[in-house]
Amino acid sequence: MFDDPAAESAAPVWDEAERAALVALLRERPDGLSWPELTAEVSGEGSARAVWERLVPGDLFGAESATLTQAASDVAAWRGADFEFLTFLDEAYPVQLREVHEMPPVLFARGTLRPADPGICVVGSRSASEHGRRVAGVIARNLAQRDITVVSGLAKGIDTAAHTAALEAGGRTVACIGTGITGHYPAENRELQERIAQDGLVLSQFWPDAPPRPQNFPMRNAIMSGYGRATVIVEAGEKSGARIQARRAVEHGRSVILIDKVVETNTWAKALVDRPGVHVATSTREVMDLAENLLHPKIPTDDLLSRFMAMRGEQDHRH
């Protein structure tokens, strides 16, 4: 059967009008649909405009909705701003985020985007001890020296130590923030955020001028766990945001590496130990071995493979 050129030409083109329609849908939330539900609708249809026309009643005189008009204006303004605006159907959208059910439909970015970016999250308590900050720094520096991107949340404590150590080692670091891309939080990390934007990447899933709200940070943790191939919890308390990220990472099918002291001092960490993909590390060397194997799984040698096949042959013969 030959391809139909007419059918190909009729396929929707993902352009600025489509992006504006997606933004309008996310703001309007027709029928009370959530962002993940709207994302699924647009993905299935292949066109945000088609979903908009199906779910939002049109004006009798064919006038554009005020929401759609405002969205088109905003998309045009974002294109001229000092940050990138991405939707989940854009080619530059990080591929690893497409793998998780909490994939943000839109992203705003400052810095260098890499569609495929091998990264490990290094996170933990805002009120970290000096020992915890030092451990985070050692882990981040070792990851950076192995060309592994260090992903964290730009918070005080462990996050700050991880970002700083990665930069000082000349490595790449990605900050997933809990405000809009034009904001700076916490204020004392403004200079660090600017440096990451210059030498790494700052990512936000919120509208550009969104302030820091309490509900933003659990959402930010979910994106971090999706962006990284694994999450290292360096130091955390019973109510730390790191516990949210650890649980989300497990839900996303990502590996979690818990420093042994985190397990010793937290009920939530003890409950995770027996879950698939959860590891406990007693040293930074163990963390690095786990991280490297998670990103670059060891392949059996020919000798090991031949012995395995020989064993299988003996078992088959006995049966």
Side-chain angles (χ1 to χ4, degrees):
M1 183 175 179
F2 294 102
D3 293 332
D4 182 357
E8 284 189 18
S9 63
V13 176
W14 193 253
D15 55 15
E16 298 300 81
E18 289 285 351
R19 295 181 181 95
L22 175 62
V23 170
L25 282 167
L26 297 173
R27 288 173 172 169
E28 189 81 10
R29 291 191 55 202
D31 298 336
L33 293 174
S34 67
W35 279 28
E37 288 170 332
L38 287 167
T39 302
E41 289 279 344
V42 173
S43 181
E45 191 88 36
S47 168
R49 186 76 193 211
V51 175
W52 174 269
E53 291 171 354
R54 174 163 52 85
L55 297 179
V56 181
D59 187 281
L60 288 175
F61 300 100
E64 287 282 17
S65 156
T67 305
L68 195 58
T69 301
Q70 183 61 56
S73 175
D74 288 341
V75 169
W78 297 338
R79 289 301 188 194
D82 67 345
F83 54 78
E84 295 282 340
F85 166 59
L86 294 171
T87 74
F88 73 101
L89 288 175
D90 285 315
E91 188 177 348
Y93 189 94
V95 292
Q96 63 269 39
L97 285 180
R98 290 199 179 102
E99 300 169 0
V100 300
H101 66 273
E102 289 167 312
M103 167 185 69
V106 295
L107 281 176
F108 298 88
R110 293 183 63 212
T112 304
L113 280 159
R114 293 181 182 174
D117 193 7
I120 301 285
C121 301
V122 180
V123 298
S125 176
R126 288 176 169 83
S127 54
S129 67
E130 183 179 345
H131 173 74
R133 292 193 297 272
R134 186 166 61 251
V135 171
V138 170
I139 292 170
R141 187 160 51 252
N142 276 273
L143 289 170
Q145 289 169 349
R146 289 163 173 76
D147 293 325
I148 298 172
T149 298
V150 175
V151 184
S152 200
L154 202 68
K156 299 176 185 177
I158 297 299
D159 292 15
T160 296
H163 286 307
T164 302
L167 289 169
E168 289 176 350
R172 174 175 166 83
T173 187
V174 173
C176 299
I177 62 175
T179 69
I181 197 70
T182 61
H184 296 84
Y185 184 84
E188 56 263 43
N189 273 356
R190 183 186 187 105
E191 185 177 339
L192 177 59
Q193 182 173 332
E194 291 301 311
R195 188 177 170 194
I196 295 171
Q198 179 68 33
D199 298 331
L201 178 66
V202 178
L203 278 181
S204 172
Q205 70 202 90
F206 307 103
W207 303 124
D209 58 351
R213 296 188 177 97
Q215 65 266 30
N216 289 6
F217 295 93
M219 295 169 68
R220 180 275 316 266
N221 284 111
I223 297 313
M224 271 198 289
S225 75
Y227 194 96
R229 289 299 176 187
T231 289
V232 181
I233 310 290
V234 176
E235 188 176 79
E238 286 291 358
K239 296 184 178 180
S240 170
R243 83 189 189 285
I244 298 173
Q245 178 155 342
R247 289 169 179 163
R248 293 291 173 81
V250 171
E251 291 171 7
H252 293 156
R254 302 289 197 247
S255 294
V256 176
I257 303 171
L258 302 167
I259 299 298
D260 55 352
K261 291 188 181 298
V262 174
V263 178
E264 291 169 11
T265 56
N266 291 281
T267 303
W268 63 264
K270 289 183 177 74
L272 282 180
V273 169
D274 294 327
R275 298 288 295 274
V278 177
H279 310 269
V280 180
T282 60
S283 67
T284 53
R285 179 66 263 173
E286 275 191 62
V287 172
M288 297 314 305
D289 288 344
L290 285 165
E292 287 188 330
N293 194 42
L294 290 168
L295 287 175
H296 310 291
K298 293 180 175 62
I299 300 171
T301 63
D302 290 341
D303 182 52
L304 285 172
L305 281 171
S306 61
R307 278 190 286 165
F308 174 74
M309 295 304 292
M311 289 171 60
R312 286 292 302 272
E314 288 176 10
Q315 290 172 351
D316 293 342
H317 180 72
R318 286 198 294 268
H319 290 296

